[in-house]
Amino acid sequence: MNNRLDNVDLTKKEVSKKEYETKLLLYQSRLLRLQHILHQEKIAAVIVMEGWDASGKGGAIKRVTEHLDPRGFKVWSISAPLPHESRYHYLQRFWRKIPSYGELTIFDRSWYGRVLVERIEGFAGKEEWFRAYKEINNFEKLLTDDRYLIMKFWFHISKDEQFLRFKAREANPLKSWKLTDEDWRNREKWDLYLEAAEDMFEKTDTSYAPWHIIPSNDKRYARLETLNIIIQQIESYLTAKQIALPE
């Protein structure tokens, strides 16, 4: 196993709140200008957010979308399939949420549930979730061969940091709703999720839809790093298509 997560430097952090706020506004302004270019050129962007419970996905999504044009993006929060969705191939409900050309869509959880929670909880048999690696790669290749840019993020925290965040949520009446019995139960299966995540990276980290692992013990660092990578990926895509970047 290629233990990518074991090699992530979780000590990375932003030096000061002032520096964080300055960079945040700079990145958000840049992303807004890039969003307009994507709209003009009819290029769609798909951003996948995966990671540990309490790893900061929600906070990162808030900062990514905070100053975007609301007419041009959507955020889909993915949970268990509804009864009628279970009557179809698991990718069907994601096809229905793929953005139009020129739009940006963020998936808070995604089709990778097939090889993570469905694998671990037994909702998909071994033949089904093992086959899903190829199905997902083909799905993403179909999109990227067209006018779609796919960016995939895994928010990584330590097990100790997750425990501290769980306890902080538990003690905060404004955030306690975020913590469920299922979160504690999933924590008991940390090693199983770790193994599944490593398999996922090995089998679905492709040139056309690579994974970006975000060290997230420091929330400010994680948010800025996510924005920075999104900006870099969009700019690289536009440059490869010989489309002029905004000043």
Side-chain angles (χ1 to χ4, degrees):
M1 183 185 295
N2 183 11
N3 297 315
R4 301 191 192 191
L5 297 181
D6 286 343
N7 297 321
V8 175
D9 182 2
L10 292 175
T11 65
K12 292 183 177 180
K13 61 176 60 180
E14 281 304 304
V15 177
S16 69
K17 183 177 180 181
K18 182 177 181 180
E19 181 181 0
Y20 164 74
E21 291 176 345
T22 300
K23 287 183 179 180
L24 180 63
L25 184 58
L26 179 66
Y27 288 166
Q28 289 173 332
S29 299
R30 183 63 175 174
L31 184 57
L32 175 62
R33 293 196 292 273
L34 291 171
Q35 182 195 18
H36 290 155
I37 299 297
L38 293 176
H39 175 73
Q40 293 168 13
E41 299 295 332
K42 303 300 181 187
I43 297 167
V46 175
I47 300 175
V48 171
M49 302 283 200
E50 295 282 356
W52 300 105
D53 294 330
S55 59
K57 296 184 300 299
I61 291 170
K62 179 180 178 181
R63 273 68 183 187
V64 169
T65 61
E66 194 168 19
H67 294 297
L68 292 181
D69 184 337
R71 299 169 297 177
F73 79 86
K74 292 186 179 69
V75 177
W76 293 107
S77 182
I78 303 301
S79 55
L82 297 172
H84 74 275
E85 292 174 324
S86 298
R87 294 159 46 198
Y88 300 92
H89 189 278
Y90 71 97
L91 285 175
Q92 189 262 1
R93 66 178 176 137
F94 299 107
W95 270 115
R96 295 169 62 87
K97 295 176 174 62
I98 292 300
S100 304
Y101 296 131
E103 291 185 343
L104 183 151
T105 291
I106 297 176
F107 286 89
D108 182 359
R109 306 292 189 188
S110 68
W111 42 91
Y112 283 97
R114 189 69 162 187
V115 297
L116 293 170
V117 64
E118 292 187 32
R119 163 184 170 170
I120 292 167
E121 299 296 338
F123 299 138
K126 183 173 182 179
E127 181 182 348
E128 292 176 308
W129 61 255
F130 193 81
R131 186 178 68 233
Y133 297 123
K134 182 177 180 180
E135 294 170 341
I136 288 170
N137 287 338
N138 289 339
F139 169 62
E140 293 175 350
K141 188 68 164 60
L142 282 171
L143 293 173
T144 56
D145 280 347
D146 195 32
R147 285 176 280 164
Y148 286 84
L149 169 62
I150 296 178
M151 293 163 275
K152 302 184 300 196
F153 295 89
W154 177 273
F155 290 80
H156 186 49
I157 56 176
S158 67
K159 193 174 183 180
D160 289 343
E161 177 65 21
Q162 185 190 62
F163 179 77
L164 293 175
R165 293 185 184 184
F166 277 13
K167 298 303 287 185
R169 286 182 177 183
E170 192 174 54
N172 187 337
L174 297 179
K175 293 185 177 181
S176 59
W177 60 270
K178 292 184 176 182
L179 187 65
T180 67
D181 291 340
E182 185 176 352
D183 293 326
W184 287 109
R185 189 169 61 84
N186 289 343
R187 179 175 164 79
E188 295 176 359
K189 300 182 179 181
W190 179 278
D191 291 341
L192 293 176
Y193 275 98
L194 183 65
E195 180 182 2
E198 294 288 2
D199 286 346
M200 178 183 71
F201 300 141
E202 180 183 353
K203 293 178 170 60
T204 65
D205 187 18
T206 60
S207 60
Y208 50 86
W211 279 101
H212 303 280
I213 299 175
I214 305 296
S216 302
N217 270 16
D218 184 272
K219 293 181 180 180
R220 293 175 185 170
Y221 176 86
R223 293 163 185 170
L224 291 182
E225 183 67 5
T226 302
L227 273 161
N228 186 37
I229 290 173
I230 291 172
I231 290 167
Q232 290 180 2
Q233 292 294 297
I234 294 175
E235 290 183 343
S236 295
Y237 185 92
L238 295 176
T239 299
K241 298 293 183 181
Q242 298 184 327
I243 297 171
L245 300 177
E247 297 182 358

